[in-house]
Amino acid sequence: MSKFKIVISDYYYANQNQENAVYARLGDDVEIVDLTKVAPGGIFEPDQLIPHIVDCDALVVQFAKVTKDVIAAMTKCKVIARYAIGVDNIDVDAATERGIYVANVPDYCIDEVANTAAAHLLNAMRKVSYARDLLLDGSFTMQRIQPLRRIKNATLCLLGFGNIARDLYAKMRPFFGRIVAFDPYFTDRSAYPDVAFIDDLKAAVAEADAISIHVPLMASTRGMIDADVLAAAKDGVVIVNTARGPIIDDKALTAALESGKVAFAGLDVISGEDFAASPYLRNPNVCLTPHFSWNSVEAGLELQRKTAENVVTALLNGAPRCHVNLR
């Protein structure tokens, strides 16, 4: 019987070469069960997953739903490792109750997501895609893209000031005249003397000409950008979301786009992730991209390697490299 058993529920990478090179640190006494060999793409649903994970020491997931029932079924699991920054498909509270680490990779695509947010912000402020769409349908006039404002006179509001937001801040500082941030949990504020930290969400939003969202999805942030928050914003504000779709209340944003309260939205994430069917896709005041902000060749390889490192360090040293619980 192997000393360690690792079950991999699902992934969409070409191979497991990065992971296997890391798992080799466990020696020959390890069993790796790749469920993409059992079902195309892997196994995602709890009732189908449970029979495969009862005796695993580590569970590696991408999109599989790790519910309370899945966690209760595991008799000796030490770590659930996700190929992602967010862990919203894992019942973290249930894992914590069982003493199981939930591991993520919070530092694998910082540059990529920040650059995508920057691209959406500049596109929104300069109306690049909007002007191009008008040009394509033969209706472009200078009047139709007014008003265009000078970015260096504008204020950018960062909702959340974690790794990605701090990288974006450094990139956008030369563009925007002022940057404010809302993040009640960020304490190292003296290191950023040119950022105005505002601990009231509506007050922070009220300062902004552009808003970029960088908070994790959890119970307290689901629907965080609702009608009341949008009402506090300036008329004609632009909003960019490269975090998680459900952070925005879709009905509230749609109404704000229709009224002109929000002039433009750049969205790389949406609720449900059904981009082809989304009403945002045909909205002239939205630039919708298909949740690709994390993507680069380098970021994908880094994510695979660091996810495996979380597993190996948990099994050998007692705790993963990065984790969101059991502090």
Side-chain angles (χ1 to χ4, degrees), residues 85 108-122 156 158 162-172 175-176 212-214 240-243 268 292-295:
I85 295 175
Y108 86 95
C109 60
I110 307 303
D111 186 56
E112 288 81 1
V113 178
N115 285 344
T116 304
H120 270 295
L121 283 166
L122 295 178
L156 170 64
L158 301 173
N163 291 332
I164 293 169
R166 293 196 297 273
D167 192 274
L168 180 62
Y169 145 78
K171 289 166 176 169
M172 291 290 96
F175 288 90
F176 284 87
S212 191
I213 300 171
H214 302 283
V240 167
N241 189 8
T242 53
D268 188 58
F292 80 134
S293 62
W294 62 273
N295 191 286

Side-chain angles (χ1 to χ4, degrees), residues 5-9 31 33-35 38-39 43 45-56 58-59 74:
K5 180 176 180 179
I6 301 169
V7 175
I8 306 163
S9 65
E31 178 186 3
V33 179
D34 183 346
L35 296 182
V38 176
I43 294 178
E45 295 303 322
D47 60 334
Q48 299 172 29
L49 185 59
I50 286 173
H52 300 279
I53 52 85
V54 172
D55 61 345
C56 72
L59 174 60
M74 295 189 286

